[in-house]
Amino acid sequence: MKITLFAPLDMHLHLREGAMLRLVAPFSAAQFAGAVIMPNLVPPVDNADRLDRYRAEVLSATQPYPFLPLMTLFFRPYDAATLQTLRDQIFAIKLYPEGVTTNSSGGVSDMAAIEPTLALMEELGIPLLVHGETHGFVLDRETEFLPIYERWARAFPRLRIVMEHITTAAALDLLERYPNLFATVTLHHLMITLDDVAGGLLQPHLFCKPIAKRPADRDALLAAALSGHPKLMFGSDSAPHPIDRKEAAFCAAGVFSAPVLLPMLVELFERHDALDRLPDFVSGNACCIHGLTPPSRIVKLVEDPWQVPARYGDVVPFAAGQTLRWRVVD
Ligand code: DOR
Ligand code: ZN
């Protein structure tokens, strides 16, 4: 059996820079026609020069694949002139609350103070992508952030707001309430719960932010994805860290899922008899929501079992050692 997907998109991807970028980018470019590239580098991507250089580095690392990097800017309280200049070079702006995750120390500490920039983004049609977590108790961080989404969705009804990598049933509920709220969800949050991370021996390679939640949350996310929820987009949040940063005290947050994304998504949707919903989840919904026209690429998968390697370079992938049924072919 063969499966073809038209222009799959990964709407949330960490590629890093330098040698790590060159190691990980080909996995995404081989499977996806494009991806939303996260800006949480050190220093962050927050000006035109850095943006141009980073886009060029991504394009060079994704050769020879036709791959559209949808570049994002790290949220700052940008003024109108800056946003007008940058608007045509970016897909969106990514907002991190200060200190909530990897490389977010330059994030936002006062959510009320940034509303003038949100008003400008609304005016200019620049989408807002949000890492929506507070500094509260780890399982409640996403839920505690939901009132902030609500406030912005109401105050800026023409601002397209994407709740990134949602992990709770409560976030799904909020999607229904505001027409300008959308969400991405990862592969790993459709599959694992907190038990997989910390219920037995600690699994650092499954540790990420937001942390995986309860079975009821995972099941609600999966049901929404399988049902073809039109406001839900696939975004892997594949976030590579070298093994010495993962298998260590102060383990870095991030799941490196890029090499296994489409094979595992196909297997998951197939298992639930929902393969017909996969094209919209991995492409159609994002194209409709954002008016995207990715390179017209057809990605094929064939049934040909393979074992996920224990490592790619010094990075351990999601599902390392497991046998997957589907393989992406060129
Ligand atoms: O687990 C995560 N890793 N969550 C994020 O928000 C950032 C990411 C990273 O950059 O490593
Ligand atoms: Zn991320």
Side-chain angles (χ1 to χ4, degrees):
M1 203 173 128
K2 190 173 85 182
I3 288 177
T4 56
L5 291 167
F6 182 73
L9 295 169
D10 181 344
M11 297 303 288
H12 185 133
L13 179 64
H14 297 269
L15 287 177
R16 318 302 189 201
E17 295 174 271
M20 182 64 96
L21 168 71
R22 290 191 295 276
L23 172 72
V24 302
F27 295 110
S28 295
Q31 295 173 71
F32 294 91
V36 176
I37 312 298
M38 289 296 132
N40 62 330
L41 307 181
V42 185
V45 181
D46 66 355
N47 61 69
D49 182 48
R50 185 112 173 87
L51 191 66
D52 281 352
R53 279 187 289 124
Y54 191 38
R55 185 201 319 272
E57 202 188 349
V58 169
L59 282 172
S60 145
T62 52
Q63 289 296 325
Y65 298 100
F67 180 80
L68 177 68
L70 296 160
M71 303 305 291
T72 62
L73 208 57
F74 191 91
F75 188 98
R76 304 279 191 201
Y78 297 109
D79 61 22
T82 310
L83 286 183
Q84 257 148 12
T85 318
L86 290 171
R87 173 171 63 166
D88 295 337
Q89 298 166 56
I90 56 171
F91 164 67
I93 295 179
K94 173 73 187 283
L95 186 152
Y96 292 91
E98 182 183 25
V100 289
T101 188
T102 311
N103 304 338
S104 62
S105 56
V108 174
S109 53
D110 182 351
M111 296 297 161
I114 60 160
E115 294 199 355
T117 299
L118 301 186
L120 289 169
M121 289 172 62
E122 178 182 42
E123 227 29 67
L124 293 168
I126 302 172
L128 174 72
L129 318 183
V130 185
H131 184 118
E133 288 198 285
T134 66
H135 290 275
F137 176 65
V138 68
L139 289 180
D140 297 335
R141 286 174 189 176
E142 183 172 289
T143 305
E144 287 175 1
F145 199 90
L146 297 181
I148 301 175
Y149 282 126
E150 283 207 73
R151 168 162 174 81
W152 291 342
R154 263 198 233 115
F156 307 104
R158 287 173 298 114
L159 177 64
R160 213 177 307 140
I161 304 172
V162 182
M163 305 191 283
E164 293 290 329
H165 42 54
I166 58 170
T167 59
T168 57
L172 274 175
D173 290 344
L174 196 64
L175 266 187
E176 310 304 327
R177 309 234 306 271
Y178 297 92
N180 55 335
L181 273 188
F182 303 90
T184 60
V185 66
T186 73
L187 169 68
H188 49 282
H189 290 119
L190 296 178
M191 300 192 73
I192 65 169
T193 70
L194 184 57
D195 259 4
D196 297 289
V197 187
L201 295 179
L202 189 66
Q203 289 285 6
H205 300 289
L206 299 181
F207 171 64
C208 64
K209 303 218 169 167
I211 196 109
K213 304 290 189 309
R214 295 177 172 78
D217 291 304
R218 190 259 323 266
D219 296 350
L221 293 169
L222 182 58
L226 297 172
S227 78
H229 194 303
K231 297 178 91 180
L232 201 56
M233 298 167 275
F234 173 65
S236 71
D237 201 14
S238 176
H241 292 277
I243 196 165
D244 63 355
R245 294 281 296 112
K246 292 293 285 178
E247 297 183 6
F250 308 108
C251 164
V255 174
F256 175 52
S257 52
V260 300
L261 291 169
L262 289 183
M264 291 191 81
L265 280 168
V266 165
E267 203 165 322
L268 182 65
F269 276 62
E270 185 188 38
R271 190 177 337 129
H272 290 90
D273 204 16
L275 269 180
D276 56 324
R277 304 281 158 81
L278 186 58
D280 280 344
F281 182 56
V282 296
S283 186
N285 292 350
C287 290
C288 282
I289 291 166
H290 295 295
L292 296 172
T293 47
S296 50
R297 236 176 100 181
I298 293 182
V299 175
K300 289 193 196 114
L301 293 100
V302 293
E303 224 175 323
D304 178 17
W306 60 289
Q307 192 182 26
V308 182
R311 288 199 197 178
Y312 291 100
D314 63 349
V315 191
V316 175
F318 186 54
Q322 287 182 34
T323 299
L324 305 185
R325 281 189 29 239
W326 293 91
R327 177 196 292 278
V328 175
V329 287
D330 272 336

